[in-house]
Amino acid sequence: MVKFLKPNKAVIVLQGRYAGRKAVIVKSFDEGTRDRPYGHCLVAGIKKYPSKVIRKDSAKKTAKKSRVKCFVKLVNHQHLMPTRYTLDVDLKDVVSVDALQTKDKKVAACKATKERFEERFKTGKNRWFFTKLRF
Amino acid sequence: MVASKKTKKTHESINNRLALVMKSGKYTLGYKTVLKSLRSSKGKLIIIANNCPPLRKSEIEYYAMLCKVGVHHYNGNNVDLGTACGKYFRVCCLSIIDPGDSDIIKSMPGDH
């Protein structure tokens, strides 16, 4: 009886091009909108996970390995698997529904989430979120 | 001997309570609608048949854990659960949204 599809919840995308990727819910539209008359969420996820960084890597190599590629998408609730993890990264100002209208706004939103994800990855927190799901 | 007698009596009482929910309350039958009711946090109790595929059972239990909703493992397979619901089809999992006059929600979730 507790709602769990809330912002900052880590989810796994189940269908589509990004199936198997981890994402974080930015905004949830439980009742749906007129264009999408079903419950859906705006998620920001990882398109390409960062590689494993080892101690003997040089600084240049570490920087290269820590790159994260992101996507922003509206996904039906049915195509998400919620997890017990959360990722408290503030993406509300960066990612919004009107960022998905045009290509360059979408690219700008993805770039900004990429920066936020990369700095979170570098701190070493939320390690589960940045590891690839093996299946 | 005493233990089996107790399970038989509680099993009948579950059936009685379920019949009362079917008559007076709101429920949904089936995996898709059970997940829907959990996502919208409308479900109050989930009942799963014992021959539910283990992956599906784990998935429903995980959703219920996130939702903090009780799950009851019915002592019977999907055919029995369908009969207990008064339906002529198999029911693998069901979600009780509004128990109506029944006290199934208050008395059942103690077991898992």
Side-chain angles (χ1 to χ4, degrees):
Chain A
M1 274 184 285
V2 172
K3 271 177 55 57
F4 51 84
L5 287 170
K6 291 206 276 222
N8 295 331
K9 178 68 105 180
V11 295
I12 299 176
V13 179
L14 293 175
Q15 306 275 13
R17 191 156 48 115
Y18 300 115
R21 303 275 196 273
K22 296 181 188 169
V24 62
I25 295 181
V26 177
K27 191 161 196 284
S28 177
F29 304 93
D30 293 323
E31 302 306 317
T33 59
R34 204 144 39 87
D35 311 325
R36 287 174 178 257
Y38 46 81
H40 59 283
C41 293
L42 181 61
V43 298
I46 300 182
K47 192 156 49 164
K48 190 157 164 201
Y49 289 91
S51 317
K52 198 160 167 43
V53 174
I54 50 179
R55 200 153 58 110
K56 71 176 199 176
D57 284 335
S58 62
K60 198 166 77 155
K61 213 158 189 188
T62 317
K64 200 154 193 205
K65 278 189 180 181
S66 312
R67 287 188 306 191
V68 176
K69 230 173 164 176
C70 301
F71 67 88
V72 172
K73 196 167 165 49
L74 282 170
V75 188
N76 192 344
H77 283 330
Q78 275 198 338
H79 303 149
L80 293 175
M81 178 73 204
T83 64
R84 61 183 170 90
Y85 298 95
T86 55
L87 184 80
D88 50 348
V89 170
D90 190 23
L91 290 170
K92 276 192 287 295
D93 48 342
V94 161
V95 173
S96 60
V97 176
D98 63 71
L100 291 173
Q101 308 295 48
T102 65
K103 189 82 187 282
D104 45 349
K105 278 201 230 173
K106 193 171 179 180
V107 167
C110 287
K111 271 214 179 105
T113 60
K114 173 187 156 79
E115 285 164 16
R116 308 254 169 108
F117 279 171
E118 275 181 7
E119 67 173 290
R120 182 52 67 94
F121 173 66
K122 289 193 173 95
T123 64
K125 297 204 186 99
N126 306 116
R127 200 163 295 201
W128 177 84
F129 187 76
F130 294 104
T131 48
K132 194 166 166 177
L133 186 67
R134 303 298 313 243
F135 59 92
Chain B
M1 201 43 71
V2 180
S4 70
K5 216 161 161 183
K6 190 162 78 146
T7 54
K8 182 147 183 239
K9 207 155 80 163
T10 51
H11 188 230
E12 288 172 8
S13 74
I14 295 169
N15 285 351
N16 293 340
R17 292 197 172 93
L18 203 52
L20 194 48
V21 172
M22 294 294 136
K23 211 161 40 144
S24 63
K26 285 199 184 51
Y27 56 92
T28 60
L29 308 173
Y31 171 65
K32 264 175 85 168
T33 55
V34 162
L35 289 188
K36 259 194 176 165
S37 74
L38 284 171
R39 272 186 218 115
S40 59
S41 61
K42 288 208 170 66
K44 308 245 177 346
L45 177 68
I46 313 292
I47 301 179
I48 306 181
N50 69 1
N51 66 344
C52 184
L55 183 60
R56 185 182 292 192
K57 180 157 64 173
S58 316
E59 190 179 358
I60 297 177
E61 285 173 355
Y62 194 81
Y63 270 79
M65 176 270 291
L66 290 175
C67 229
K68 301 198 207 317
V69 162
V71 170
H72 181 256
H73 293 99
Y74 186 72
N75 188 12
N77 61 6
N78 47 6
V79 179
D80 301 333
L81 191 48
T83 311
C85 296
K87 307 286 179 196
Y88 290 110
F89 45 81
R90 295 174 287 259
V91 170
C92 192
C93 43
L94 69 99
S95 163
I96 295 175
I97 295 173
D98 175 21
D101 299 326
S102 175
D103 62 345
I104 194 169
I105 309 246
K106 290 184 270 299
S107 60
M108 269 321 122
D111 57 76
H112 226 234

